[in-house]
Amino acid sequence: EVQLVESGGGSVRTGESARLSCTASGFTFDAPDMGWYRQTPGNKCDLLATITRDGATTVADSVKDRFTISQDKAKNTVYLEMNSTKHEDTAMYYCAAARPDVVLVTGYASCGRDGAEVYNFWGQGTRVTVSS
């Protein structure tokens, strides 16, 4: 059984940094593309960043100057480094792994459910709150 366990959420002050971690286990196929999503109430599940098993990354334009995705293969862990945080970064953050032959895409109605689970494996989510 695939499991993705996120950690590192919590409260930070505007401008501070935060690092989210996602530790994966249970893959019975080649290491999939991994990604970080976030969702706020009333909005779609937005893809923030992806990383392949070879280390190629993409980062959404909306956060590319502040967020970085990385991985530690030895620990089966993917990280999201969030710098210069803003109030609008307050959200639930989800780690996801693409199912075989699936590309991570943005715009699911809900992270981790309502059909999104058909395409990706999902973590339980971790909340980040940015306040002044």
Short mmCIF file of all heavy atoms in Angstrom, two decimals, residues 63-110:
data_model
loop_
_atom_site.label_atom_id
_atom_site.label_comp_id
_atom_site.label_asym_id
_atom_site.label_seq_id
_atom_site.Cartn_x
_atom_site.Cartn_y
_atom_site.Cartn_z
N VAL A 63 4.54 30.82 -7.59
CA VAL A 63 5.41 30.69 -6.41
C VAL A 63 6.86 30.44 -6.77
O VAL A 63 7.69 30.18 -5.89
CB VAL A 63 4.91 29.56 -5.49
CG1 VAL A 63 3.54 29.88 -4.95
CG2 VAL A 63 4.92 28.21 -6.22
N LYS A 64 7.21 30.52 -8.04
CA LYS A 64 8.54 30.06 -8.48
C LYS A 64 9.66 30.88 -7.88
O LYS A 64 10.80 30.40 -7.80
CB LYS A 64 8.62 30.06 -9.99
CG LYS A 64 8.54 31.45 -10.64
CD LYS A 64 8.66 31.32 -12.15
CE LYS A 64 8.58 32.69 -12.82
NZ LYS A 64 8.71 32.57 -14.29
N ASP A 65 9.39 32.09 -7.49
CA ASP A 65 10.46 32.91 -6.90
C ASP A 65 10.65 32.63 -5.42
O ASP A 65 11.61 33.14 -4.82
CB ASP A 65 10.14 34.39 -7.10
CG ASP A 65 10.17 34.80 -8.56
OD1 ASP A 65 10.91 34.15 -9.34
OD2 ASP A 65 9.45 35.74 -8.93
N ARG A 66 9.75 31.82 -4.86
CA ARG A 66 9.80 31.64 -3.40
C ARG A 66 9.83 30.18 -2.95
O ARG A 66 10.32 29.89 -1.86
CB ARG A 66 8.59 32.33 -2.77
CG ARG A 66 8.51 33.82 -3.05
CD ARG A 66 7.38 34.48 -2.30
NE ARG A 66 6.08 33.99 -2.72
CZ ARG A 66 5.23 33.32 -1.93
NH1 ARG A 66 5.57 33.06 -0.66
NH2 ARG A 66 4.05 32.93 -2.38
N PHE A 67 9.29 29.29 -3.78
CA PHE A 67 9.19 27.88 -3.38
C PHE A 67 10.18 27.03 -4.16
O PHE A 67 10.41 27.26 -5.35
CB PHE A 67 7.78 27.35 -3.64
CG PHE A 67 6.72 27.89 -2.72
CD1 PHE A 67 6.96 28.97 -1.87
CD2 PHE A 67 5.45 27.34 -2.72
CE1 PHE A 67 5.97 29.47 -1.04
CE2 PHE A 67 4.45 27.82 -1.89
CZ PHE A 67 4.71 28.89 -1.07
N THR A 68 10.69 26.01 -3.51
CA THR A 68 11.62 25.08 -4.13
C THR A 68 11.23 23.66 -3.75
O THR A 68 10.90 23.40 -2.59
CB THR A 68 13.07 25.34 -3.67
OG1 THR A 68 13.42 26.70 -3.97
CG2 THR A 68 14.04 24.41 -4.38
N ILE A 69 11.28 22.76 -4.70
CA ILE A 69 11.03 21.36 -4.43
C ILE A 69 12.34 20.60 -4.56
O ILE A 69 13.16 20.89 -5.44
CB ILE A 69 9.95 20.78 -5.37
CG1 ILE A 69 9.54 19.37 -4.95
CG2 ILE A 69 10.38 20.84 -6.83
CD1 ILE A 69 8.31 18.84 -5.69
N SER A 70 12.53 19.62 -3.68
CA SER A 70 13.75 18.81 -3.72
C SER A 70 13.42 17.43 -3.16
O SER A 70 12.33 17.19 -2.66
CB SER A 70 14.87 19.47 -2.91
OG SER A 70 14.49 19.59 -1.55
N GLN A 71 14.40 16.54 -3.25
CA GLN A 71 14.15 15.20 -2.75
C GLN A 71 15.42 14.61 -2.17
O GLN A 71 16.54 15.00 -2.53
CB GLN A 71 13.63 14.28 -3.85
CG GLN A 71 14.59 14.03 -4.99
CD GLN A 71 13.95 13.21 -6.13
OE1 GLN A 71 12.87 12.65 -5.98
NE2 GLN A 71 14.63 13.16 -7.26
N ASP A 72 15.24 13.69 -1.27
CA ASP A 72 16.31 12.87 -0.73
C ASP A 72 15.91 11.43 -1.01
O ASP A 72 15.08 10.86 -0.30
CB ASP A 72 16.47 13.12 0.77
CG ASP A 72 17.65 12.37 1.37
OD1 ASP A 72 18.01 11.31 0.83
OD2 ASP A 72 18.21 12.84 2.36
N LYS A 73 16.49 10.86 -2.05
CA LYS A 73 16.10 9.52 -2.46
C LYS A 73 16.38 8.50 -1.38
O LYS A 73 15.63 7.54 -1.21
CB LYS A 73 16.81 9.16 -3.76
CG LYS A 73 16.36 9.94 -4.97
CD LYS A 73 17.09 9.45 -6.22
CE LYS A 73 16.67 10.20 -7.45
NZ LYS A 73 17.38 9.74 -8.65
N ALA A 74 17.46 8.68 -0.69
CA ALA A 74 17.83 7.71 0.36
C ALA A 74 16.77 7.65 1.45
O ALA A 74 16.58 6.62 2.09
CB ALA A 74 19.18 8.07 0.95
N LYS A 75 16.08 8.77 1.66
CA LYS A 75 15.04 8.83 2.69
C LYS A 75 13.64 8.72 2.10
O LYS A 75 12.66 8.82 2.83
CB LYS A 75 15.16 10.14 3.47
CG LYS A 75 16.46 10.27 4.25
CD LYS A 75 16.49 11.58 5.02
CE LYS A 75 17.77 11.71 5.84
NZ LYS A 75 17.84 12.99 6.60
N ASN A 76 13.56 8.54 0.78
CA ASN A 76 12.25 8.50 0.11
C ASN A 76 11.40 9.71 0.49
O ASN A 76 10.19 9.57 0.74
CB ASN A 76 11.50 7.22 0.45
CG ASN A 76 12.17 5.99 -0.15
OD1 ASN A 76 12.68 6.02 -1.26
ND2 ASN A 76 12.17 4.90 0.61
N THR A 77 12.03 10.84 0.54
CA THR A 77 11.36 12.05 1.03
C THR A 77 11.49 13.18 0.02
O THR A 77 12.55 13.39 -0.56
CB THR A 77 11.94 12.48 2.38
OG1 THR A 77 11.73 11.42 3.34
CG2 THR A 77 11.28 13.74 2.90
N VAL A 78 10.39 13.87 -0.17
CA VAL A 78 10.33 15.05 -1.02
C VAL A 78 10.04 16.25 -0.13
O VAL A 78 9.25 16.15 0.82
CB VAL A 78 9.23 14.89 -2.08
CG1 VAL A 78 9.08 16.17 -2.90
CG2 VAL A 78 9.56 13.72 -3.00
N TYR A 79 10.66 17.35 -0.44
CA TYR A 79 10.52 18.56 0.38
C TYR A 79 9.95 19.71 -0.44
O TYR A 79 10.15 19.79 -1.65
CB TYR A 79 11.89 18.99 0.91
CG TYR A 79 12.60 17.93 1.69
CD1 TYR A 79 13.57 17.13 1.09
CD2 TYR A 79 12.32 17.71 3.04
CE1 TYR A 79 14.24 16.15 1.81
CE2 TYR A 79 12.97 16.73 3.76
CZ TYR A 79 13.93 15.96 3.13
OH TYR A 79 14.59 14.99 3.85
N LEU A 80 9.26 20.58 0.25
CA LEU A 80 8.85 21.85 -0.33
C LEU A 80 9.38 22.95 0.58
O LEU A 80 8.94 23.06 1.73
CB LEU A 80 7.34 21.96 -0.46
CG LEU A 80 6.84 23.25 -1.14
CD1 LEU A 80 7.20 23.24 -2.63
CD2 LEU A 80 5.33 23.42 -0.97
N GLU A 81 10.31 23.70 0.08
CA GLU A 81 10.86 24.83 0.82
C GLU A 81 10.09 26.07 0.43
O GLU A 81 10.00 26.44 -0.74
CB GLU A 81 12.33 25.00 0.47
CG GLU A 81 13.06 26.03 1.32
CD GLU A 81 13.42 25.53 2.71
OE1 GLU A 81 13.63 24.33 2.87
OE2 GLU A 81 13.48 26.37 3.63
N MET A 82 9.52 26.70 1.44
CA MET A 82 8.71 27.90 1.23
C MET A 82 9.43 29.08 1.86
O MET A 82 9.62 29.10 3.08
CB MET A 82 7.32 27.72 1.88
CG MET A 82 6.59 26.48 1.42
SD MET A 82 5.15 26.09 2.45
CE MET A 82 4.21 27.61 2.34
N ASN A 83 9.84 30.02 1.05
CA ASN A 83 10.53 31.20 1.53
C ASN A 83 9.67 32.44 1.36
O ASN A 83 8.75 32.46 0.55
CB ASN A 83 11.86 31.37 0.80
CG ASN A 83 12.80 30.21 1.04
OD1 ASN A 83 13.01 29.79 2.17
ND2 ASN A 83 13.39 29.70 -0.04
N SER A 84 10.00 33.47 2.12
CA SER A 84 9.29 34.75 2.03
C SER A 84 7.79 34.53 2.02
O SER A 84 7.07 35.02 1.15
CB SER A 84 9.72 35.51 0.77
OG SER A 84 11.11 35.71 0.75
N THR A 85 7.32 33.80 3.01
CA THR A 85 5.91 33.43 3.03
C THR A 85 5.00 34.64 3.12
O THR A 85 5.36 35.68 3.71
CB THR A 85 5.61 32.47 4.18
OG1 THR A 85 6.07 33.07 5.40
CG2 THR A 85 6.28 31.12 3.96
N LYS A 86 3.83 34.48 2.53
CA LYS A 86 2.82 35.53 2.51
C LYS A 86 1.53 35.00 3.13
O LYS A 86 1.32 33.78 3.22
CB LYS A 86 2.54 35.97 1.07
CG LYS A 86 3.76 36.44 0.31
CD LYS A 86 3.39 36.78 -1.12
CE LYS A 86 4.62 37.24 -1.91
NZ LYS A 86 4.26 37.58 -3.32
N HIS A 87 0.68 35.91 3.51
CA HIS A 87 -0.59 35.50 4.10
C HIS A 87 -1.34 34.57 3.15
O HIS A 87 -1.97 33.59 3.59
CB HIS A 87 -1.44 36.73 4.42
CG HIS A 87 -2.78 36.39 4.95
ND1 HIS A 87 -2.98 35.87 6.22
CD2 HIS A 87 -4.00 36.46 4.38
CE1 HIS A 87 -4.27 35.67 6.41
NE2 HIS A 87 -4.92 36.00 5.31
N GLU A 88 -1.26 34.84 1.85
CA GLU A 88 -2.01 34.02 0.89
C GLU A 88 -1.43 32.62 0.72
O GLU A 88 -2.00 31.79 0.00
CB GLU A 88 -2.08 34.72 -0.47
CG GLU A 88 -0.77 35.22 -1.00
CD GLU A 88 -0.55 36.69 -0.69
OE1 GLU A 88 -0.86 37.13 0.44
OE2 GLU A 88 -0.05 37.40 -1.59
N ASP A 89 -0.31 32.32 1.35
CA ASP A 89 0.22 30.96 1.36
C ASP A 89 -0.49 30.09 2.39
O ASP A 89 -0.26 28.88 2.44
CB ASP A 89 1.72 30.96 1.66
CG ASP A 89 2.54 31.61 0.57
OD1 ASP A 89 2.15 31.51 -0.62
OD2 ASP A 89 3.56 32.25 0.90
N THR A 90 -1.34 30.70 3.18
CA THR A 90 -2.11 29.92 4.14
C THR A 90 -3.02 28.96 3.40
O THR A 90 -3.84 29.36 2.58
CB THR A 90 -2.96 30.87 5.02
OG1 THR A 90 -2.08 31.70 5.79
CG2 THR A 90 -3.86 30.07 5.96
N ALA A 91 -2.87 27.66 3.69
CA ALA A 91 -3.60 26.64 2.92
C ALA A 91 -3.32 25.27 3.51
O ALA A 91 -2.47 25.11 4.38
CB ALA A 91 -3.18 26.66 1.45
N MET A 92 -4.06 24.30 3.02
CA MET A 92 -3.71 22.90 3.23
C MET A 92 -2.77 22.49 2.10
O MET A 92 -3.05 22.74 0.93
CB MET A 92 -4.95 22.02 3.22
CG MET A 92 -5.74 22.05 4.51
SD MET A 92 -4.88 21.33 5.91
CE MET A 92 -4.86 19.59 5.42
N TYR A 93 -1.69 21.87 2.46
CA TYR A 93 -0.69 21.44 1.49
C TYR A 93 -0.68 19.92 1.44
O TYR A 93 -0.68 19.25 2.47
CB TYR A 93 0.70 21.96 1.88
CG TYR A 93 0.84 23.44 1.63
CD1 TYR A 93 0.23 24.38 2.45
CD2 TYR A 93 1.57 23.91 0.53
CE1 TYR A 93 0.34 25.73 2.20
CE2 TYR A 93 1.70 25.26 0.28
CZ TYR A 93 1.08 26.17 1.11
OH TYR A 93 1.19 27.52 0.86
N TYR A 94 -0.67 19.42 0.22
CA TYR A 94 -0.75 17.98 0.01
C TYR A 94 0.41 17.50 -0.85
O TYR A 94 0.76 18.13 -1.86
CB TYR A 94 -2.04 17.61 -0.72
CG TYR A 94 -3.30 17.91 0.06
CD1 TYR A 94 -3.89 19.17 0.00
CD2 TYR A 94 -3.91 16.93 0.83
CE1 TYR A 94 -5.05 19.45 0.70
CE2 TYR A 94 -5.07 17.19 1.53
CZ TYR A 94 -5.63 18.46 1.47
OH TYR A 94 -6.78 18.72 2.15
N CYS A 95 0.94 16.39 -0.47
CA CYS A 95 1.93 15.68 -1.28
C CYS A 95 1.19 14.69 -2.15
O CYS A 95 0.19 14.08 -1.71
CB CYS A 95 2.89 14.97 -0.34
SG CYS A 95 4.09 13.90 -1.13
N ALA A 96 1.65 14.51 -3.37
CA ALA A 96 1.02 13.57 -4.27
C ALA A 96 2.07 12.84 -5.09
O ALA A 96 3.14 13.38 -5.38
CB ALA A 96 0.05 14.29 -5.20
N ALA A 97 1.74 11.61 -5.44
CA ALA A 97 2.58 10.81 -6.33
C ALA A 97 1.73 10.37 -7.50
O ALA A 97 0.61 9.86 -7.30
CB ALA A 97 3.13 9.61 -5.58
N ALA A 98 2.24 10.55 -8.67
CA ALA A 98 1.48 10.18 -9.86
C ALA A 98 1.37 8.67 -9.99
O ALA A 98 2.34 7.95 -9.78
CB ALA A 98 2.14 10.75 -11.10
N ARG A 99 0.19 8.21 -10.31
CA ARG A 99 0.03 6.78 -10.61
C ARG A 99 0.74 6.48 -11.93
O ARG A 99 1.05 7.40 -12.70
CB ARG A 99 -1.44 6.42 -10.69
CG ARG A 99 -2.14 6.52 -9.32
CD ARG A 99 -3.58 6.08 -9.41
NE ARG A 99 -4.26 6.20 -8.12
CZ ARG A 99 -4.33 5.23 -7.22
NH1 ARG A 99 -3.74 4.06 -7.48
NH2 ARG A 99 -4.97 5.41 -6.09
N PRO A 100 1.03 5.22 -12.21
CA PRO A 100 1.73 4.88 -13.45
C PRO A 100 1.05 5.46 -14.68
O PRO A 100 -0.18 5.43 -14.80
CB PRO A 100 1.69 3.35 -13.45
CG PRO A 100 1.65 2.97 -12.01
CD PRO A 100 0.81 4.04 -11.36
N ASP A 101 1.86 6.01 -15.54
CA ASP A 101 1.40 6.57 -16.81
C ASP A 101 0.51 7.80 -16.63
O ASP A 101 -0.27 8.14 -17.53
CB ASP A 101 0.68 5.52 -17.66
CG ASP A 101 1.56 4.33 -17.97
OD1 ASP A 101 2.76 4.54 -18.23
OD2 ASP A 101 1.06 3.19 -17.96
N VAL A 102 0.59 8.43 -15.49
CA VAL A 102 -0.19 9.63 -15.24
C VAL A 102 0.75 10.81 -15.04
O VAL A 102 1.81 10.67 -14.43
CB VAL A 102 -1.08 9.46 -13.99
CG1 VAL A 102 -1.75 10.78 -13.61
CG2 VAL A 102 -2.13 8.39 -14.22
N VAL A 103 0.35 11.95 -15.55
CA VAL A 103 1.11 13.19 -15.36
C VAL A 103 0.44 14.02 -14.28
O VAL A 103 -0.80 14.14 -14.27
CB VAL A 103 1.18 13.98 -16.68
CG1 VAL A 103 1.91 15.31 -16.47
CG2 VAL A 103 1.89 13.16 -17.75
N LEU A 104 1.20 14.57 -13.39
CA LEU A 104 0.64 15.45 -12.37
C LEU A 104 0.11 16.71 -13.03
O LEU A 104 0.82 17.38 -13.77
CB LEU A 104 1.70 15.80 -11.33
CG LEU A 104 2.20 14.65 -10.45
CD1 LEU A 104 3.38 15.11 -9.62
CD2 LEU A 104 1.11 14.10 -9.57
N VAL A 105 -1.14 17.04 -12.76
CA VAL A 105 -1.75 18.22 -13.34
C VAL A 105 -2.41 19.03 -12.25
O VAL A 105 -2.63 18.56 -11.14
CB VAL A 105 -2.80 17.86 -14.41
CG1 VAL A 105 -2.14 17.13 -15.58
CG2 VAL A 105 -3.92 17.01 -13.81
N THR A 106 -2.74 20.25 -12.59
CA THR A 106 -3.36 21.13 -11.62
C THR A 106 -4.86 21.18 -11.82
O THR A 106 -5.38 20.70 -12.83
CB THR A 106 -2.76 22.55 -11.75
OG1 THR A 106 -3.11 23.31 -10.59
CG2 THR A 106 -3.23 23.25 -13.00
N GLY A 107 -5.55 21.73 -10.84
CA GLY A 107 -6.95 22.05 -11.04
C GLY A 107 -7.97 21.02 -10.59
O GLY A 107 -9.13 21.11 -10.98
N TYR A 108 -7.56 20.05 -9.79
CA TYR A 108 -8.57 19.14 -9.25
C TYR A 108 -9.55 19.93 -8.38
O TYR A 108 -9.18 20.92 -7.74
CB TYR A 108 -7.92 18.04 -8.42
CG TYR A 108 -7.07 17.08 -9.20
CD1 TYR A 108 -5.69 17.06 -9.05
CD2 TYR A 108 -7.64 16.17 -10.10
CE1 TYR A 108 -4.90 16.18 -9.76
CE2 TYR A 108 -6.86 15.29 -10.81
CZ TYR A 108 -5.49 15.30 -10.64
OH TYR A 108 -4.71 14.42 -11.35
N ALA A 109 -10.77 19.44 -8.34
CA ALA A 109 -11.76 20.10 -7.50
C ALA A 109 -11.36 19.99 -6.04
O ALA A 109 -11.54 20.94 -5.25
CB ALA A 109 -13.14 19.50 -7.72
N SER A 110 -10.84 18.86 -5.65
CA SER A 110 -10.42 18.63 -4.27
C SER A 110 -9.13 17.84 -4.27
O SER A 110 -9.01 16.87 -5.02
CB SER A 110 -11.49 17.86 -3.49
OG SER A 110 -12.71 18.56 -3.46
#
